[in-house]
Amino acid sequence: MRFNLNGRWVEDAQADPQSTILRYLRTQMAQVDVKEGCAGGDCGACTVMVGQVTEQGLQYHTVNACIALLASVHGAYVITPQGLASDGELHPAQQALIDHHGSQCGYCTPGFVMSMAALYQQQFSQADSDAAGQTVSNRPADRLNAWPVPEDEAIHAAISGNLCRCTGYRPIIDAARAMGEYPAKNADAVVSFDPKEINVSQENGLQPLLKKQQRQLFLPATEEQLKALLQQYPQATLWAGGTDLGLEISQRFSQFDTVICLHQIDSLQHWQHQSDEPSGQLVLGAGMTYTQLEPVLAKDFPSFAELLHRIGSRQIRNLGTLGGNIANASPIGDTPPVLLALGAQLEIDGIHGRHQIAAQDFFTGYKQTRLRTGEYLRAVILPKLSPSQTLHCFKVSKRYDDDISAVMYAAWLEIDDQQIIQARIACGGMAATPLRAYTVEQALTGQPWCEATVLAAAQQVEQDYQPIDDVRASQGYRLQLVRNLLLKTWAQQEVVA
Ligand SMILES: Cc1cc2nc3c(=O)[nH]c(=O)nc-3n(C[C@H](O)[C@H](O)[C@H](O)COP(=O)(O)OP(=O)(O)OC[C@H]3O[C@@H](n4cnc5c(N)ncnc54)[C@H](O)[C@@H]3O)c2cc1C
Ligand code: FES
Ligand code: FES
């Protein structure tokens, strides 16, 4: 196990395979500037920046160190608040926070600093990619002047996973807007880096990266290696982003004997357009994170792309994957209803060979799926929308950011000449699995597309769903939401038309 911490390489073959980044930093490296608040990915106190080497230099993103496995940063750079300052000079994110009176308590501030610093570095990358043709070594020295002030939306997204329960966000946002006023030393990378030092072998995927007592962790680099490992360890726990599984370790203290991490397998993060369907298909690797999906979905499925901004926080979206959301099979997962409404297919591989299954046949019960032992989700196939088809995705939760749905609603409609040809409506939070509203769909199909049709169909919602009362919403509220969201679909479609 090898990673770079604040500019210094750390190697440890003895680390616990189940160590999170946070636990390792605080207990093995005495790096106590990274804080633990909730230990569940919610508060952002533990935020660190993770840097990957690309052709553009080091590209940073933030993660919740409390739920991310240490193995997830094998070969990567990890920056903590202390690592941001160099030679006694604070990073612009730190100095701007001080100057704008945005520094608060010792728990939330380190996390805010890291989220702001990642935004600062990303703004540089954006400026650099705009200045086409310039490599890391030949960028002009005065490029600091080109730091683009981020849009408020980008600032809000960057700190969407950082909670302060006591004071206010306004000074923090002011500081984020002002970061460009402070020139940064070593602005390219925060730390000096040499890609040659990474030295992470891709050939040892069949050997455990970490092993301690009965626990072992593998980091396959290809699907071939993954399948070979599944032959040997069919019961192994597949670990993608760990934004569901990480809580098993940090909050439930569960033990996993054999873990196979998926994040180094490039083919699970690929996406491509195919032309099999009349309008074509978009094939998404199951290992794509939400952050990777956002730009890919934006053109063909804008409503789906918009929904992604409502999933967790920036830190969660940097780690959490589409495949993890599906395989976790939570009734309140946000993407499954969309996949049901779109008529998506899931591609599965593993020890029984490759095959496909319709998303709507995948979920068999509360957190139960048709995935068999030794299998993994490989890809998700979305039929693209023809000009007569539309997709509407609505998430209703108590908070805008970083909150789980009370109801997640998705509607796919095919309307021709003001007549509903086909309708697929699916919801999460209404049953033990994500579920289609077949009676409502029947009430819509073949009818004229008008408000009266939608109002009549909305009366059928109780035929399809008998949700439970829980902390997020009562049964009556959930049913009323679905009725209202049908009407919202009508209103939105009218605006589009
Ligand atoms: C603070 C917080 C906020 C969240 N907010 C939301 C939210 O708004 N909406 C939402 O839907 N979810 C939310 N989640 C849940 C979680 O982020 C998502 O479900 C995420 O997509 C899980 O993906 P992952 O890669 O992290 O999965 P992991 O935790 O790695 O895995 C989850 C499950 O899927 C299995 N798995 C993963 N990949 C594969 C694969 N390719 N093949 C087979 N099995 C696989 C794992 O074995 C495990 O059983 C939140 C979680 C946290 C901690
Ligand atoms: S400690 Fe709260 S998100 Fe990690
Ligand atoms: S949580 Fe730090 S000031 Fe509120």
Side-chain angles (χ1 to χ4, degrees):
M1 170 70 210
R2 193 165 191 276
F3 71 106
N4 186 300
L5 176 62
N6 292 334
R8 186 166 67 90
W9 284 98
V10 178
E11 291 191 21
D12 189 348
Q14 308 302 322
D16 186 335
Q18 275 190 213
S19 209
T20 59
I21 301 175
L22 180 70
R23 193 185 308 166
Y24 189 81
L25 291 186
R26 288 185 65 90
T27 62
Q28 306 299 309
M29 305 297 296
Q31 196 72 48
V32 292
D33 52 330
V34 190
K35 304 298 178 191
E36 182 169 53
C38 64
D42 276 305
C43 74
C46 64
T47 304
V48 294
M49 281 190 342
V50 174
Q52 312 275 5
V53 177
T54 70
E55 284 177 6
Q56 286 77 41
L58 268 184
Q59 298 278 321
Y60 285 107
H61 61 272
T62 48
V63 303
N64 299 108
C66 64
I67 52 173
L69 281 184
L70 179 65
S72 71
V73 293
H74 182 50
Y77 287 70
V78 177
I79 311 287
T80 71
Q82 280 180 359
L84 282 177
S86 63
D87 300 332
E89 190 177 301
L90 295 180
H91 186 276
Q94 295 168 313
Q95 193 60 54
L97 262 183
I98 293 171
D99 293 348
H100 288 264
H101 309 286
S103 84
Q104 302 182 158
C105 82
Y107 277 90
C108 63
T109 301
F112 275 111
V113 162
M114 296 315 300
S115 292
M116 288 169 56
L119 177 65
Y120 181 89
Q121 301 304 136
Q122 285 155 8
Q123 292 292 106
F124 262 125
S125 306
Q126 189 194 316
D128 286 344
S129 60
D130 292 348
Q134 290 169 356
T135 62
V136 172
S137 54
N138 68 10
R139 286 173 195 148
D142 67 353
R143 57 192 268 279
L144 284 169
N145 299 331
W147 191 81
V149 177
E151 301 283 332
D152 279 1
E153 203 181 321
I155 296 174
H156 295 170
I159 60 170
S160 56
N162 295 91
L163 300 190
C164 162
R165 315 226 161 208
C166 351
T167 58
Y169 289 82
R170 205 237 338 120
I172 297 170
I173 292 168
D174 288 347
R177 284 193 198 112
M179 288 189 292
E181 294 164 15
Y182 303 83
K185 268 193 200 162
N186 208 357
D188 275 332
V190 182
V191 291
S192 59
F193 76 100
D194 178 357
K196 289 195 284 300
E197 283 183 359
I198 291 182
N199 188 24
V200 175
S201 169
Q202 301 245 310
E203 284 154 23
N204 293 334
L206 297 178
Q207 300 301 320
L209 176 74
L210 293 170
K211 192 168 169 54
K212 196 163 200 176
Q213 291 145 4
Q214 83 284 11
R215 295 197 292 272
Q216 54 183 349
L217 179 145
F218 294 89
L219 200 55
T222 62
E223 284 185 74
E224 283 61 42
Q225 290 180 352
L226 170 62
K227 282 185 252 188
L229 287 169
L230 285 171
Q231 285 286 357
Q232 207 178 344
Y233 306 103
Q235 306 284 353
T237 301
L238 297 179
W239 196 289
T243 57
D244 283 309
L245 282 173
L247 279 75
E248 295 291 324
I249 292 179
S250 67
Q251 295 194 334
R252 297 212 180 105
F253 308 109
S254 307
Q255 303 277 331
F256 298 99
D257 285 350
T258 301
V259 168
I260 304 179
C261 290
L262 305 177
H263 67 272
Q264 298 260 7
I265 304 176
D266 279 350
S267 58
L268 296 184
Q269 288 164 40
H270 279 172
W271 58 274
Q272 59 174 324
H273 294 282
Q274 283 182 347
S275 52
D276 294 12
E277 293 270 311
S279 310
Q281 298 176 324
L282 181 59
V283 182
L284 304 168
M288 290 181 78
T289 64
Y290 296 117
T291 300
Q292 289 170 330
L293 284 168
E294 279 168 22
V296 174
L297 289 172
K299 179 169 163 279
D300 293 311
F301 301 97
S303 176
F304 195 179
E306 217 173 287
L307 168 71
L308 298 184
H309 300 294
R310 300 286 312 282
I311 295 185
S313 60
R314 176 48 72 206
Q315 291 93 320
I316 292 293
R317 296 195 289 276
N318 288 339
L319 278 178
T321 63
L322 181 60
N325 201 227
I326 300 166
N328 194 50
S330 161
I332 42 175
D334 283 335
T335 64
V338 185
L339 305 183
L340 265 59
L342 279 172
Q345 290 281 322
L346 307 180
E347 189 168 79
I348 292 167
D349 211 337
I351 60 176
H352 306 295
R354 192 173 292 184
H355 59 103
Q356 288 189 9
I357 183 169
Q360 70 180 39
D361 299 329
F362 185 70
F363 303 98
T364 53
Y366 179 73
K367 300 202 103 184
Q368 301 294 316
T369 72
R370 289 207 195 282
L371 212 54
R372 290 172 290 179
T373 304
E375 288 190 323
Y376 64 96
L377 264 178
R378 192 172 182 273
V380 178
I381 303 162
L382 306 181
K384 288 203 218 164
L385 303 171
S386 72
S388 58
Q389 297 167 351
T390 51
L391 176 72
H392 308 259
C393 305
F394 302 127
K395 168 172 175 165
V396 181
S397 55
K398 287 186 179 174
R399 278 196 318 240
Y400 184 86
D401 284 313
D402 214 357
D403 203 1
I404 299 292
S405 295
V407 170
M408 173 61 220
Y409 165 102
W412 172 92
L413 297 171
E414 182 169 3
I415 298 171
D416 194 19
D417 201 15
Q418 289 302 302
Q419 191 88 7
I420 307 169
I421 311 296
Q422 278 189 81
R424 283 196 294 266
I425 315 282
C427 289
M430 298 299 286
T433 63
L435 193 64
R436 294 257 304 267
Y438 290 106
T439 321
V440 173
E441 292 174 8
Q442 264 177 12
L444 292 168
T445 306
Q447 300 300 314
W449 178 237
C450 62
E451 195 172 4
T453 300
V454 178
L455 282 170
Q459 297 311 310
Q460 304 300 319
V461 168
E462 272 154 291
Q463 306 300 317
D464 291 314
Y465 297 123
Q466 296 83 43
I468 55 167
D469 291 324
D470 69 11
V471 286
R472 293 200 178 84
S474 65
Q475 180 184 66
Y477 180 71
R478 287 191 155 104
L479 289 167
Q480 188 60 42
L481 272 181
V482 178
R483 290 186 208 107
N484 292 353
L485 293 173
L486 277 161
L487 279 169
K488 185 169 175 175
T489 308
W490 152 255
Q492 193 177 66
Q493 177 91 9
E494 287 307 285
V495 172
V496 173

